[in-house]
Amino acid sequence: MTVYESPIRDFQFVLHELLQVSEVSKACGLPELDVEVIDQVLDAAGIFSNEVIAPLNAIGDTRGCRLDSEGKVSTPTGFVAAYRQFSESGWCGLGCSPEYGGQGFPSVIDSAVTEMLSGANMGWAAYPGMSHATYVNIEANGSAELKAQHLPKLASGEWAGTMCLTEPHAGTDLGLLRTRAVPVGDGSYEITGTKIFISGGDHDLTDNIVHLVLARLPDAPKGVKGISLFLVPKFQVGKDGLPGRHNGVTCGNVEEKMGIHGNSTCTLNFDSSIGWLLGEANKGLAAMFVQMNHARIMVGITAIGVMQAAYQKALAYAKERVQGRTAGNPANAAADPIVGHPDVRRMLLTQKAYVEGLRAVALWTAQLSDTQRLHPDLVVRDQATDFLGLMTPVLKAMASDVAVESTLLAMQVYGGHGYIRDNGVEQHLRDVRIIGLYEGTNGVQAMDLLGRKVLADEGRRLATFLQVVSAFVDEHGGVDALKAFTQPLGDLIGEVEATTRIIFSDAAGNAHTVGAAAAPFLRLVGHLVLAWMWARAAVIALGKLDSGDPIYAAKLSTARFYYQRLLPETLALCAEIRAGAAVVMEADVELL
Amino acid sequence: MTVYESPIRDFQFVLHELLQVSEVSKACGLPELDVEVIDQVLDAAGIFSNEVIAPLNAIGDTRGCRLDSEGKVSTPTGFVAAYRQFSESGWCGLGCSPEYGGQGFPSVIDSAVTEMLSGANMGWAAYPGMSHATYVNIEANGSAELKAQHLPKLASGEWAGTMCLTEPHAGTDLGLLRTRAVPVGDGSYEITGTKIFISGGDHDLTDNIVHLVLARLPDAPKGVKGISLFLVPKFQVGKDGLPGRHNGVTCGNVEEKMGIHGNSTCTLNFDSSIGWLLGEANKGLAAMFVQMNHARIMVGITAIGVMQAAYQKALAYAKERVQGRTAGNPANAAADPIVGHPDVRRMLLTQKAYVEGLRAVALWTAQLSDTQRLHPDLVVRDQATDFLGLMTPVLKAMASDVAVESTLLAMQVYGGHGYIRDNGVEQHLRDVRIIGLYEGTNGVQAMDLLGRKVLADEGRRLATFLQVVSAFVDEHGGVDALKAFTQPLGDLIGEVEATTRIIFSDAAGNAHTVGAAAAPFLRLVGHLVLAWMWARAAVIALGKLDSGDPIYAAKLSTARFYYQRLLPETLALCAEIRAGAAVVMEADVELL
């Protein structure tokens, strides 16, 4: 069995048919991005994912990353060679600007490639993924000199990057961080402190690693208003632009964790390490959030890649494993492949409906970031900014939660064989579990959505989004063959509006309302977006049913499954939200 | 922090106040089981669990079981000594008959002890757990000679036991199994074949291991009607009753798996191993199901133990971890423990409501098995048999699914720290994940409930159970302070009845109806039982609110949380069931 097969046809459906990437890109001033070019990128990335890094996924898990007695971190066997092939083929610069040696592809294409790489080997893919997030940050916040010095190296993949936020006592609450930055006098700073949980914090893939580090300047205000962002290379960069002497950044530990053993998660000690201010002093958190928002979208997409890999395994096993007779067959019939059993079919379709639906949500979100950055029309850009703000937490949290549920189902299809290491499916659960926890826990995402993105503007952004979905319902509501989608979607819009009003009303009287409602509210909005995407897919599929391509019949039947078997969860979510905060907060802590 | 603390007070609440075990036991002819005796057992088992085996849980995970070059399997460091202490203290015989050296405690007490052992160290606890299930089987099916030879050794813990069903090509579908039994002529049989996934299949804890093996006699009918059950010792038992020469049972492999590394999961090769028929020829599956049904209850209880352990860790962390200000506190206030944040409270209360509710369900189920076995009144026994049949699959599947959800939430409370091995919480997820897969996957449990327990008797058993719950609603429906429970519980009874009628009606026309509805139907019935248990707990708590014991206020507020935040899932489940089978089965396999 193939370890991983990139779902090229579904990427084509989403990119060409659902999101019309080529046309939208032209409107954004990228005229050369026609369908053939996109297909070439997809095919090449698919081959690299399937053939080069997917075969390294199991060894990445079993061998893991190691810190030797000299303080050097090594990645699993084969990772270095695969990375060299990847970077030398120009993949690191796919989404980077041609100004810095990149290929200038929009984020929506870079995201599709990221999904394939992650599905093939999440631990490996996180190295170039984090480097690109670092590129995005320096491009947004760096001085001309820092950009010239670092961006070409990140675009070529010669150097890697990290984001250093967390400290032992400061995770979600970055206001508590203690790492210090002291001005040297020549424009540089000495950075001292300990950062933990640094993904790709040290490794043997590149000549240098560019750490972007949150720290406090002397006399900085307390809390989050006194945090600045610094660029701190592993090796100081000489006048020749090459890595020179060691910069006092040492790896104190490589964490033993549940999964993604192929990716080094490091404790980094900075000891008077020379760094450079990125953006303005004391505005480091806002600067870092350029990278964080990018990373949240990318890890959401990563979750989708892992779901896809687990689903493929489960589907192949269900077609191959013979066990029990299918209902309705005669008593003396031979046993059938388990894919014929309705409960197995339920588990497979749940995975399929979520992974394909979320792929559409994710690539649309990435497309929004391109539109926000590139579209000539300010009104269009502003709406993209609004929707991107809503979708970033929804994608990150919903995809990571659903990925856990889906990989659990993939294991379940295998029965006891799913619990055995060699079958590879349990690794997907262990790997993907991190995504709900890092780059802001899913609880943080939920508070970001409901508190900062919905309540903060009194629901304006959400209302605009609901209008877009309503317009879709109005446009297609008259088509009988689509009523199974447009009617429940219209009902759901009403439910979201009503539930949001209740939250607004309750929040006025109870400070805990938002926190108590946040998690189910995020999932409710996630279903709204998924339902909209599946209805849009159904519209397209209905028009092409006679084309001879079986994907359209599959899209229609998966859309029906989503609407009838998964969307009903929204009934429960609305009831949970309506329960209010009192029932969550009434018990004294000592009674827990 | 304590690794594990046995929840003694909650056991007391369930055993003494909710289930009135002492009184019910008296009615069953066990007059000596008063509250003090039960409390002594709970305390002693709690101390053993907390102090002896909980400290071995992490090393069991990291060191695992090993198969050496001579074919010997060793358990992790400390397991042998702990087992010796356990067996020498008489714990192996707690639920065994005094006739065979046991202590004669009912299953409901044995189950409470099993929960504590499993919460402390699931891998370790599975050895005596499986041995006791073997005891139950031999007691039910064995000849007087086999009983006399084996039961005292199992009761004392000198010997262990296993159940050997699965073969590489035969898991759920035991009709496919190939292991053969050939009569020797002296009443014994030669057993030859390969069994996989045998829990505790080989180890260094005991002098002998008694394997109960499903195999085919020559000329046996095809399929499940040609399966017989054999007792096959690891070492042949001599005339002196002691283990003698090796019986040709070899361990071919110890599986590398996701979790429960402390428990050896073995491939066993039987090569003309001498065995003895247990029960009648070709009726082996029914005989094995005595043990299987016992095992399903025990693994459900195991899941609850692991949930409890994970919940305790998450709660302790949430009280200790300071991060972010609680809503409503002034902007310059110091950060608070995260237990003050509503979303963290939601995650903790979800775990608490499920673990305590399921504990009540599990111990009631164990009590039903005692009543079925011991009660003098045939009518009472028959009803216990009916309810036990319903509850066994519900407990096994619901507890194991919810345990995965709960341990995921426990990790989530820890944030990124939950993903790190050293914090111990991720082990609970990896360990508990097996329970949904073994002893019949949860899909098999769902089919057992809906197909064999509900449809097969045209809903008679379920209707009787609903009448019992209805009578509870009628009894307490007039109490205003209980209306928040009795009204939704009454509504839920109506929903279960209506949904079941729809399934009956659809099943007449579509053979896939049962399979498509089974999983959500099991969870729906699970919620019904949980809701009933939480309402019963609320009745008790309301009457004792002024007692000064804080458990009653906690029970009331957790009951409210369950009803308002968790029970609404039933809305979604009913809608999923009503969707019918077509949407699950319509797509061609090639479209998946």
Side-chain angles (χ1 to χ4, degrees):
Chain A
M1 191 202 133
T2 317
V3 179
Y4 172 76
E5 193 168 346
S6 296
I8 301 290
R9 182 66 189 92
D10 203 55
F11 280 117
Q12 291 171 328
F13 178 83
V14 175
L15 295 174
H16 303 329
E17 300 175 67
L18 193 69
L19 300 179
Q20 300 181 304
V21 166
S22 186
E23 286 164 49
V24 172
S25 297
K26 283 185 183 70
C28 288
L30 297 168
E32 68 280 11
L33 202 70
D34 56 27
V35 167
E36 290 69 28
V37 171
I38 294 173
D39 283 350
Q40 283 167 12
V41 173
L42 294 176
D43 283 341
I47 290 170
F48 181 84
S49 300
N50 300 349
E51 297 181 4
V52 181
I53 60 170
L56 301 175
N57 194 42
I59 189 150
D61 186 54
T62 50
R63 194 274 194 184
C65 294
R66 291 178 191 163
L67 174 65
D68 71 16
S69 56
E70 292 171 7
K72 289 191 177 165
V73 177
S74 64
T75 54
T77 317
F79 272 39
V80 169
Y83 183 81
R84 187 168 303 139
Q85 185 178 340
F86 184 78
S87 57
E88 288 177 357
S89 305
W91 286 110
C92 291
L94 188 73
C96 300
S97 168
E99 189 182 348
Y100 302 110
Q103 301 193 45
F105 277 84
S107 180
V108 66
I109 302 301
D110 198 46
S111 297
V113 172
T114 295
E115 192 210 295
M116 290 188 248
L117 299 172
S118 304
N121 191 329
M122 179 177 162
W124 186 92
Y127 293 109
M130 193 50 78
S131 296
H132 188 62
T134 305
Y135 172 96
V136 168
N137 192 338
I138 299 173
E139 189 177 42
N141 295 304
S143 64
E145 192 182 344
L146 288 176
K147 288 203 263 192
Q149 200 167 42
H150 295 89
L151 296 185
K153 296 293 190 184
L154 288 164
S156 70
E158 289 165 272
W159 297 359
T162 76
M163 53 201 294
C164 301
L165 290 80
T166 303
E167 299 179 8
H169 52 282
T172 297
D173 190 351
L174 290 167
L176 300 174
L177 71 81
R178 294 179 194 152
T179 295
R180 289 165 183 219
V182 178
V184 173
D186 62 353
S188 70
Y189 297 81
E190 284 185 359
I191 314 293
T192 300
T194 296
K195 296 289 181 178
I196 64 169
F197 299 166
I198 308 309
S199 295
D202 205 355
H203 54 71
D204 53 5
L205 301 181
T206 55
D207 300 336
N208 206 357
I209 302 176
V210 185
H211 304 294
L212 301 192
V213 185
L214 292 181
R216 294 189 176 285
L217 288 165
D219 306 320
K222 279 189 179 175
V224 293
K225 292 178 181 170
I227 298 175
S228 303
L229 178 60
F230 297 89
L231 184 161
V232 186
K234 176 179 174 182
F235 295 105
Q236 290 182 27
V237 181
K239 300 237 183 252
D240 55 1
L242 297 175
R245 68 190 187 89
H246 200 279
N247 195 17
V249 187
T250 52
C251 176
N253 181 38
V254 173
E255 298 286 355
E256 286 289 335
K257 43 195 199 302
M258 183 184 217
I260 53 163
H261 297 142
N263 199 263
S264 58
T265 303
C266 301
T267 299
L268 291 185
N269 298 310
F270 295 87
D271 183 9
S272 299
S273 306
I274 297 297
W276 308 87
L277 188 65
L278 212 58
E280 291 180 53
N282 297 328
K283 303 234 167 126
L285 209 56
M288 185 55 105
F289 259 77
V290 172
Q291 181 166 2
M292 181 59 92
N293 283 325
H294 177 87
R296 286 177 178 177
I297 296 170
M298 286 301 150
V299 298
I301 287 167
T302 295
I304 296 163
V306 179
M307 289 169 73
Q308 175 70 36
Y311 171 61
Q312 286 177 354
K313 285 195 176 70
L315 177 60
Y317 187 78
K319 288 179 177 176
E320 173 190 297
R321 174 76 170 173
V322 170
Q323 205 81 178
R325 271 174 298 109
T326 302
N329 282 3
N332 60 353
D336 295 302
I338 60 173
V339 72
H341 301 321
D343 193 57
V344 173
R345 195 69 74 92
R346 169 188 69 83
M347 296 192 279
L348 292 170
L349 280 167
T350 300
Q351 295 171 68
K352 183 177 172 71
Y354 273 133
V355 74
E356 293 181 8
L358 283 165
R359 178 173 296 127
V361 174
L363 294 177
W364 177 57
T365 303
Q367 187 178 44
L368 288 171
S369 75
D370 295 323
T371 302
Q372 173 196 35
R373 191 164 54 93
L374 300 170
H375 201 282
D377 184 335
L378 179 64
V379 175
V380 175
R381 283 208 307 276
D382 279 353
Q383 191 182 74
T385 303
D386 284 350
F387 289 0
L388 183 62
L390 289 173
M391 287 306 121
T392 300
V394 171
L395 169 61
K396 192 274 185 184
M398 183 93 177
S400 56
D401 281 344
V402 165
V404 167
E405 297 159 27
S406 289
T407 50
L408 283 165
L409 287 176
M411 288 179 70
Q412 196 68 30
V413 169
Y414 273 79
H417 295 268
Y419 198 66
I420 302 303
R421 281 280 169 91
D422 281 351
N423 288 318
V425 69
E426 61 87 37
Q427 183 192 342
H428 294 311
L429 172 60
R430 287 186 292 102
D431 285 352
V432 89
R433 179 64 187 94
I434 186 60
I435 301 180
L437 300 167
Y438 68 10
E439 318 307 4
T441 65
N442 285 358
V444 168
Q445 306 302 320
M447 290 295 283
D448 178 49
L449 175 69
L450 184 53
R452 290 204 199 93
K453 307 287 174 63
V454 173
L455 263 84
D457 71 357
E458 293 174 327
R460 185 191 55 78
R461 266 174 289 206
L462 180 64
T464 310
F465 176 62
L466 291 174
Q467 281 163 16
V468 169
V469 183
S470 285
F472 171 87
V473 171
D474 292 345
E475 184 184 350
H476 301 283
V479 182
D480 277 347
L482 293 170
K483 282 208 159 62
F485 311 112
T486 51
Q487 280 185 353
L489 183 56
D491 293 347
L492 183 59
I493 293 168
E495 281 299 320
V496 172
E497 285 171 342
T499 309
T500 309
R501 273 197 303 273
I502 289 170
I503 295 171
F504 274 66
S505 155
D506 288 356
N510 187 332
H512 294 305
T513 299
V514 175
F521 182 80
L522 183 142
R523 183 120 178 159
L524 179 65
V525 175
H527 272 298
L528 176 72
V529 188
L530 277 169
W532 179 48
M533 286 297 171
W534 271 117
R536 291 172 63 185
V539 170
I540 295 166
L542 196 65
K544 296 185 178 175
L545 262 185
D546 299 332
S547 70
D549 186 334
I551 192 174
Y552 302 110
K555 286 288 176 193
L556 266 179
S557 93
T558 311
R560 278 193 286 269
F561 182 87
Y562 172 78
Y563 267 82
Q564 292 187 45
R565 294 288 306 229
L566 303 178
L567 189 60
E569 188 187 8
T570 53
L571 299 170
L573 296 167
C574 289
E576 290 167 37
I577 293 168
R578 284 162 197 250
V583 76
V584 177
M585 299 305 289
E586 65 168 47
D588 202 80
V589 169
E590 294 316 309
L591 299 186
L592 291 173
Chain B
M1 191 202 131
T2 317
V3 179
Y4 172 76
E5 193 168 345
S6 296
I8 301 291
R9 181 64 189 94
D10 201 55
F11 279 117
Q12 291 171 328
F13 178 82
V14 174
L15 295 174
H16 303 328
E17 300 175 66
L18 192 69
L19 301 179
Q20 301 181 305
V21 165
S22 186
E23 287 165 49
V24 173
S25 296
K26 283 186 183 69
C28 288
L30 298 168
E32 67 281 13
L33 202 70
D34 55 28
V35 167
E36 290 69 29
V37 171
I38 294 172
D39 283 350
Q40 284 167 12
V41 173
L42 293 176
D43 283 342
I47 290 169
F48 181 84
S49 300
N50 300 350
E51 296 181 4
V52 181
I53 59 170
L56 301 174
N57 193 41
I59 190 151
D61 185 55
T62 50
R63 194 274 195 186
C65 294
R66 291 178 192 163
L67 174 65
D68 72 16
S69 56
E70 293 171 7
K72 290 193 176 163
V73 177
S74 64
T75 55
T77 317
F79 273 38
V80 170
Y83 182 81
R84 187 168 304 139
Q85 184 177 342
F86 184 78
S87 57
E88 287 177 358
S89 305
W91 286 110
C92 292
L94 187 73
C96 300
S97 167
E99 188 182 346
Y100 302 109
Q103 300 193 45
F105 277 84
S107 180
V108 66
I109 303 301
D110 199 45
S111 297
V113 173
T114 295
E115 193 210 296
M116 290 189 248
L117 300 172
S118 304
N121 190 330
M122 178 176 162
W124 185 92
Y127 294 108
M130 193 50 78
S131 296
H132 188 63
T134 305
Y135 172 96
V136 168
N137 192 339
I138 298 173
E139 189 176 44
N141 295 305
S143 65
E145 193 182 345
L146 288 177
K147 290 204 262 191
Q149 200 167 41
H150 295 90
L151 296 184
K153 296 293 190 184
L154 288 165
S156 70
E158 289 165 272
W159 296 359
T162 75
M163 53 200 294
C164 300
L165 290 80
T166 304
E167 300 179 9
H169 51 281
T172 297
D173 190 351
L174 290 166
L176 301 175
L177 71 80
R178 295 179 194 152
T179 296
R180 289 166 183 216
V182 179
V184 173
D186 62 354
S188 71
Y189 297 80
E190 284 186 358
I191 314 293
T192 301
T194 295
K195 296 288 181 178
I196 63 168
F197 300 167
I198 308 308
S199 295
D202 205 355
H203 54 72
D204 53 5
L205 301 180
T206 56
D207 300 337
N208 206 358
I209 302 176
V210 184
H211 304 294
L212 301 193
V213 185
L214 293 181
R216 294 189 176 286
L217 289 166
D219 308 319
K222 280 190 177 173
V224 294
K225 292 178 180 171
I227 298 175
S228 303
L229 178 61
F230 297 90
L231 185 161
V232 185
K234 175 179 174 181
F235 295 105
Q236 291 182 26
V237 181
K239 301 240 183 246
D240 54 1
L242 297 175
R245 69 191 186 91
H246 200 278
N247 195 18
V249 187
T250 51
C251 176
N253 181 38
V254 173
E255 298 286 355
E256 287 288 336
K257 39 194 202 303
M258 184 184 217
I260 54 163
H261 297 141
N263 199 264
S264 59
T265 303
C266 302
T267 299
L268 292 184
N269 297 310
F270 296 86
D271 182 9
S272 299
S273 307
I274 297 298
W276 309 87
L277 188 65
L278 212 57
E280 290 179 53
N282 298 329
K283 303 233 168 129
L285 210 56
M288 186 55 107
F289 259 78
V290 172
Q291 181 167 3
M292 182 58 93
N293 283 325
H294 177 88
R296 286 176 178 177
I297 296 170
M298 286 301 150
V299 299
I301 286 166
T302 295
I304 297 164
V306 179
M307 288 169 73
Q308 175 69 35
Y311 171 61
Q312 287 177 354
K313 284 195 175 70
L315 177 60
Y317 187 79
K319 287 180 178 176
E320 173 189 296
R321 174 75 170 174
V322 170
Q323 205 81 177
R325 272 175 296 109
T326 302
N329 282 3
N332 60 354
D336 295 302
I338 61 172
V339 72
H341 301 320
D343 192 57
V344 172
R345 196 69 73 93
R346 169 188 69 84
M347 295 192 279
L348 292 171
L349 280 166
T350 300
Q351 295 171 68
K352 182 178 173 69
Y354 274 133
V355 74
E356 293 182 8
L358 283 166
R359 179 173 295 127
V361 174
L363 295 177
W364 176 57
T365 304
Q367 188 177 44
L368 288 171
S369 75
D370 296 324
T371 302
Q372 172 196 35
R373 192 165 53 95
L374 300 170
H375 202 282
D377 184 335
L378 179 64
V379 175
V380 175
R381 284 208 306 276
D382 279 353
Q383 191 180 75
T385 303
D386 284 350
F387 289 1
L388 184 62
L390 289 173
M391 287 305 121
T392 299
V394 171
L395 170 61
K396 191 274 184 184
M398 183 93 178
S400 54
D401 281 346
V402 165
V404 167
E405 296 159 28
S406 288
T407 50
L408 283 164
L409 288 176
M411 287 180 72
Q412 196 68 28
V413 169
Y414 274 79
H417 295 269
Y419 198 67
I420 302 302
R421 281 278 170 91
D422 282 351
N423 288 317
V425 69
E426 61 88 36
Q427 184 191 341
H428 294 311
L429 172 60
R430 287 186 294 103
D431 285 352
V432 89
R433 179 64 187 92
I434 187 60
I435 300 180
L437 300 167
Y438 69 11
E439 319 306 4
T441 65
N442 285 357
V444 168
Q445 307 301 320
M447 291 294 285
D448 178 49
L449 175 68
L450 184 53
R452 289 206 200 92
K453 308 287 173 64
V454 173
L455 263 82
D457 70 358
E458 293 174 325
R460 184 191 56 78
R461 265 174 290 208
L462 180 64
T464 311
F465 176 62
L466 292 175
Q467 282 163 15
V468 170
V469 183
S470 284
F472 170 88
V473 171
D474 292 344
E475 184 184 349
H476 301 284
V479 183
D480 276 348
L482 294 169
K483 281 207 160 62
F485 312 112
T486 51
Q487 280 186 353
L489 183 56
D491 292 346
L492 183 60
I493 294 168
E495 280 299 320
V496 171
E497 285 171 342
T499 309
T500 309
R501 272 197 302 274
I502 290 170
I503 295 170
F504 274 67
S505 155
D506 288 356
N510 187 332
H512 294 305
T513 299
V514 175
F521 182 81
L522 183 143
R523 183 121 178 160
L524 179 65
V525 175
H527 272 298
L528 175 72
V529 188
L530 278 169
W532 178 48
M533 286 297 171
W534 271 116
R536 290 172 63 184
V539 169
I540 295 166
L542 195 66
K544 296 185 178 176
L545 262 184
D546 299 333
S547 69
D549 186 335
I551 193 175
Y552 302 110
K555 285 288 176 194
L556 266 178
S557 93
T558 311
R560 277 193 286 268
F561 182 86
Y562 172 79
Y563 268 81
Q564 292 188 45
R565 293 289 304 231
L566 303 179
L567 189 59
E569 188 187 9
T570 54
L571 299 170
L573 296 167
C574 289
E576 290 167 38
I577 294 168
R578 284 162 196 251
V583 76
V584 177
M585 299 305 289
E586 64 169 46
D588 202 80
V589 170
E590 294 316 308
L591 298 185
L592 292 173

